[in-house]
Amino acid sequence: MKVYYSETHRKHEPPFEVFDGGLRVPYLENPDRMDRILQALRATDWAEVIEPMDFGLDPIHAVHDKEYVDFLASSWTEWLSTDSWDKSTLLPSTFALRRHPQKPASLLGRAGYYMMDLSACIVEGTYEAALASANCALSAAQAVANGEHSAFALCRPPGHHAGKDYAGGYCFINNAAVAANWLSAKDRVALLDIDYHCGNGTQDIFYERDDVLTISIHADPNFEYPHFAGYADERGKGKGLGVHRNFPLPAGTDDIAYLNTLDRALELIREFKPVYLVVSAGMDIYADDPLGKIKVTTDGIIEIGKRISALNLPTAIVMEGGYNNDALGKNSTGFLGEFR
Ligand code: SP5
Ligand code: ZN
């Protein structure tokens, strides 16, 4: 299996994130995650790690607002010229409540406009890393369009919380959405998101489209991040009505209950008759994930891979979350191994 990976992710290493209640904790979405996955992939006899191709900005602008991408590109330099007390990472402290239409001129005003929380910290290398991450997803999409049965984009930073014009949840550019949109120019696409958290950014990007079916299985937003998207009654809008589905799950969901829900999602994908599949693969559904409250085991993750693979579609698998670094290697390779 071709695995697209760039070392550029190391340039994105925020010094901390801010948890509920204001606690500063070490950044959970850290470079070590990639080292653990790479180490496990290199121990297999089927993973071929390759540098991504550079697709330029067009496929990113096709999914994200240009002014938002410009903000990602220039914000670090602007941040250094502000008079803020602590410039270790760009984080706003004011947010655009319910997407107020006014976009302020100041950097911190724009940061609040374009960021949804206190975990999408911007540092010097964030933009460069986010571009390389998107190029990994695009390279995997291109590989399956060129006839590979499956390909893996080892993306960091992740992407599924990033919407058309906002960053959040460690995500800046929506890698899976960029890949799915790129494939949608060729034929029908389904995007299945199995990260523990709702893929709110993906939902936002495709909500009014009928050419890309988006399905997210995740912890119920009534209790879990991102809180404001991912409810079962959100099913798309306009011609996209019915072409988005959410499967919110309770805390404590085990392998059996998860797999039952997955089977419902897979049935919807079969009915849609896509030509390509993109999977937003987060490993934070794992029982011992520090951010998760879903109780899927490593065997469960492997079985999820087996059932998705049984769709027998050309599949671009895109890395999202997963924060138990000790288990990331076995969970990721266990999942991917089912697609060979
Ligand atoms: C890609 C991805 O998985 N992003 C997840 C971002 C989640 N950020 C949520 C932070 C909520 C912190 N809650 C802390 C509870 C600790 N017990
Ligand atoms: Zn997640």
Side-chain angles (χ1 to χ4, degrees), residues 47-91:
E48 181 194 355
V49 180
I50 312 169
E51 283 279 320
M53 193 180 110
D54 184 358
F55 287 74
L57 286 175
D58 286 351
I60 292 166
H61 288 152
V63 156
H64 292 287
D65 182 70
K66 182 178 180 298
E67 289 185 25
Y68 165 64
V69 179
D70 291 347
F71 162 78
L72 292 177
S74 69
S75 53
W76 180 255
T77 312
E78 292 182 63
W79 178 229
L80 294 183
S81 66
T82 64
D83 60 2
S84 296
W85 293 357
D86 176 358
K87 293 186 196 168
S88 55
T89 184
L90 168 57
L91 276 183

Side-chain angles (χ1 to χ4, degrees), residues 160-161 195-197 282 284 320-323:
H160 75 148
H161 296 303
D195 186 278
Y196 170 75
H197 304 92
D284 37 10
E320 300 286 0
Y323 309 100

Side-chain angles (χ1 to χ4, degrees), residues 68-340:
Y68 165 64
V69 179
D70 291 347
F71 162 78
L72 292 177
S74 69
S75 53
W76 180 255
T77 312
E78 292 182 63
W79 178 229
L80 294 183
S81 66
T82 64
D83 60 2
S84 296
W85 293 357
D86 176 358
K87 293 186 196 168
S88 55
T89 184
L90 168 57
L91 276 183
S93 58
T94 311
F95 296 92
L97 189 65
R98 296 181 188 97
R99 305 307 292 166
H100 194 278
Q102 285 294 339
K103 187 175 75 173
S106 75
L107 175 68
L108 277 166
R110 274 179 290 138
Y113 184 82
Y114 287 130
M115 291 154 110
M116 64 177 275
D117 60 42
L118 296 169
S119 71
C121 309
I122 291 180
V123 294
E124 184 172 10
T126 300
Y127 180 60
E128 206 185 326
L131 290 179
S133 191
N135 280 321
C136 290
L138 284 161
S139 297
Q142 185 173 63
V144 299
N146 287 345
E148 294 287 332
H149 181 60
S150 62
F152 179 46
L154 181 45
C155 290
R156 179 177 180 274
H160 75 148
H161 296 303
K164 283 177 195 151
D165 64 349
Y166 59 88
Y170 313 141
C171 304
F172 304 89
I173 293 172
N174 194 320
N175 309 306
V178 169
N181 181 64
W182 187 89
L183 284 168
S184 77
K186 305 190 178 294
D187 222 319
R188 283 165 83 77
V189 180
L191 192 165
L192 174 64
D193 189 327
I194 60 161
D195 186 278
Y196 170 75
H197 304 92
C198 165
N200 61 286
T202 308
Q203 174 174 329
D204 174 46
I205 287 163
F206 294 108
Y207 208 60
E208 299 190 34
R209 285 174 57 168
D210 64 359
D211 57 334
V212 179
L213 170 68
T214 48
I215 299 183
S216 182
I217 306 172
H218 48 254
D220 192 334
N222 261 314
F223 73 85
E224 188 52 272
Y225 180 92
H227 299 297
F228 306 107
Y231 296 88
D233 63 357
E234 297 161 1
R235 292 184 174 212
K237 191 177 162 192
K239 72 173 163 38
L241 187 63
V243 196
H244 176 78
R245 292 293 286 269
N246 289 314
F247 290 94
L249 298 171
T253 298
D254 63 7
D255 287 353
I256 306 249
Y258 191 97
L259 290 164
N260 284 337
T261 303
L262 176 69
D263 285 342
R264 292 171 57 204
L266 295 177
E267 196 43 46
L268 293 172
I269 293 174
R270 285 192 183 91
E271 281 167 19
F272 186 72
K273 298 190 175 23
V275 172
Y276 298 108
L277 179 67
V278 176
V279 179
S280 268
M283 294 296 143
D284 37 10
I285 49 175
Y286 180 56
D288 289 325
D289 192 279
L291 279 186
K293 293 189 171 72
I294 280 180
K295 299 294 172 195
V296 172
T297 64
T298 299
D299 284 344
I301 289 172
I302 293 169
E303 181 63 25
I304 293 168
K306 178 184 267 180
R307 294 193 190 186
I308 299 173
S309 171
L311 289 171
N312 204 22
L313 291 167
T315 302
I317 302 159
V318 178
M319 191 69 205
E320 300 286 0
Y323 309 100
N324 182 328
N325 290 15
D326 289 335
L328 265 180
K330 68 174 179 186
N331 287 341
S332 304
T333 52
F335 179 79
L336 293 168
E338 296 297 320
F339 290 84
R340 291 181 291 135

